């Protein structure tokens, strides 16, 4: 049972026999669950209501789930997205994470596993990698606020997904030091994560382009075979 805040979850699934037990399970766990069956409807719902987590089936009648995910992110949605697909290839996983999904599950999946993934995505400030309400400000003026889970450069906010934020927060609290890949995997993902470490590279890639696009003055440097370091851009 969830204590405290009720989180809303959107299920995007056209198949009745998958959607119904999934929704029942989520509701029993205390989530406030909504469901849509099509991609266009899902994008509209998410940009309007911003649920905490979206469980997104890739095989939808009207749109490819990859495009649905991309449109949610480009529309500014920052909540958690778990992709679900019957196409279980590694390529799908990478493409999915590349367009902004946080996690990926292959059908058929156990409901207990799905719940674990949802909980993992929702673990925000409580057991987030950076404890308390610590705020880190880098010498370039990038302000990473762990309490609010927001990143600012001066007045401007840099919009990050949950995982991008967590990675940046860990790197920033170890500024100029190399953070090993394993440390990042353990701190940002957790024991419920069964995916490949490719996820880390994809998340780092997205974080890097966002920092670059925002001219944040900070860059993520890859140390081959070891890990990553956040350093001020010279
Ligand atoms: Ca489907």
């Amino acid at each position: 049972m969830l204590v405290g805040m009720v989180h809303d979850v959107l299920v995007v699934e056209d198949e009745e026999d998958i959607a119904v037990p999934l929704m029942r399970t989520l509701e029993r766990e205390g989530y406030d669950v909504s469901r849509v069956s099509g991609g266009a409807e899902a994008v509209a719902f998410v940009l309007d209501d911003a649920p905490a987590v979206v469980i997104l089936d890739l095989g939808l009648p009207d749109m490819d789930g990859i495009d649905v995910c991309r449109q949610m992110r480009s529309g500014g949605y920052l909540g958690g997205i778990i992709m679900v697909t019957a196409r279980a290839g590694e390529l799908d996983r990478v493409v999915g994470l590349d367009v902004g999904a946080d996690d990926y599950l292959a059908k058929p999946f156990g409901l207990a596993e799905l719940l674990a993934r949802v909980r993992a995505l929702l673990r925000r400030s409580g057991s987030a990698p950076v404890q308390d309400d610590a705020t880190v400000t880098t010498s370039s003026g990038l302000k990473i606020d762990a309490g609010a889970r927001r990143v600012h450069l001066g007045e401007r906010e840099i919009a990050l997904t949950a995982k991008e934020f967590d990675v940046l927060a860990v790197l920033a609290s170890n500024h100029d030091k190399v953070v090993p890949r394993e440390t990042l995997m353990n701190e940002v993902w957790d024991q419920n994560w069964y995916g490949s470490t490719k996820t880390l590279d994809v998340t780092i890639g997205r974080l890097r382009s966002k920092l670059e696009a925002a001219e944040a003055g900070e860059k993520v440097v890859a140390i081959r075979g070891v890990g990553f370091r956040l350093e001020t851009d010279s």
Side-chain angles (χ1 to χ4, degrees):
M1 287 299 271
L2 291 176
V3 180
M5 189 181 168
V6 174
H7 294 287
D8 44 344
V9 175
L10 175 68
V11 173
V12 186
E13 173 63 76
D14 56 315
E15 284 159 80
E16 213 62 27
D17 55 343
I18 293 174
V20 170
L22 182 55
M23 291 176 68
R24 203 175 289 143
T25 303
L26 287 163
E27 276 162 2
R28 211 163 38 219
E29 284 291 301
Y31 297 107
D32 184 356
V33 188
S34 307
R35 178 205 170 189
V36 296
S37 319
E41 204 185 342
V43 173
F45 186 104
V46 161
L47 298 187
D48 230 37
D49 279 30
V53 174
V54 179
I55 298 168
L56 174 63
D57 179 38
L58 288 193
L60 296 170
D62 60 332
M63 277 171 78
D64 191 298
I66 295 282
D67 293 324
V68 175
C69 183
R70 191 183 286 122
Q71 287 186 24
M72 285 174 180
R73 288 304 187 210
S74 63
Y77 175 60
L78 296 173
I81 300 178
I82 301 176
M83 278 187 174
V84 171
T85 182
R87 308 176 299 197
E90 174 75 7
L91 184 65
D92 262 351
R93 181 188 291 273
V94 173
V95 169
L97 297 167
D98 209 24
V99 296
D102 297 289
D103 204 345
Y104 188 100
L105 264 180
K107 282 183 185 172
F109 55 83
L111 290 172
E113 185 180 3
L114 180 95
L115 287 177
R117 303 290 187 94
V118 171
R119 275 196 299 269
L121 265 185
L122 288 171
R123 287 188 336 153
R124 302 239 161 150
S125 39
S127 51
V130 176
Q131 296 303 318
D132 310 323
D133 289 347
T135 296
V136 175
T137 306
T138 68
S139 56
S140 67
L142 191 66
K143 193 174 131 208
I144 298 134
D145 182 344
R149 297 186 59 83
R150 298 174 87 170
V151 177
H152 284 90
L153 185 68
E155 296 294 298
R156 203 151 41 89
E157 176 162 16
I158 301 175
L160 300 179
T161 67
K163 294 302 182 194
E164 289 160 7
F165 180 88
D166 289 341
V167 168
L168 178 62
V170 173
L171 291 175
S173 58
N174 296 282
H175 200 264
D176 289 324
K177 297 189 198 104
V178 181
V179 180
R181 298 180 66 90
E182 299 71 44
T183 305
L184 280 167
M185 288 304 296
N186 292 339
E187 301 250 333
V188 176
W189 285 271
D190 62 13
Q191 68 273 19
N192 294 315
W193 173 255
Y194 304 109
S196 77
T197 62
K198 185 91 192 157
T199 308
L200 173 61
D201 296 289
V202 173
T203 305
I204 293 267
R206 290 203 315 253
L207 175 61
R208 207 179 247 157
S209 6
K210 285 186 181 181
L211 291 178
E212 208 173 286
E215 294 175 2
E218 295 289 333
K219 63 179 176 191
V220 181
V221 178
I223 311 299
R224 208 186 166 91
V226 184
F228 300 92
R229 182 176 62 217
L230 186 71
E231 58 182 49
T232 303
D233 223 342
S234 46

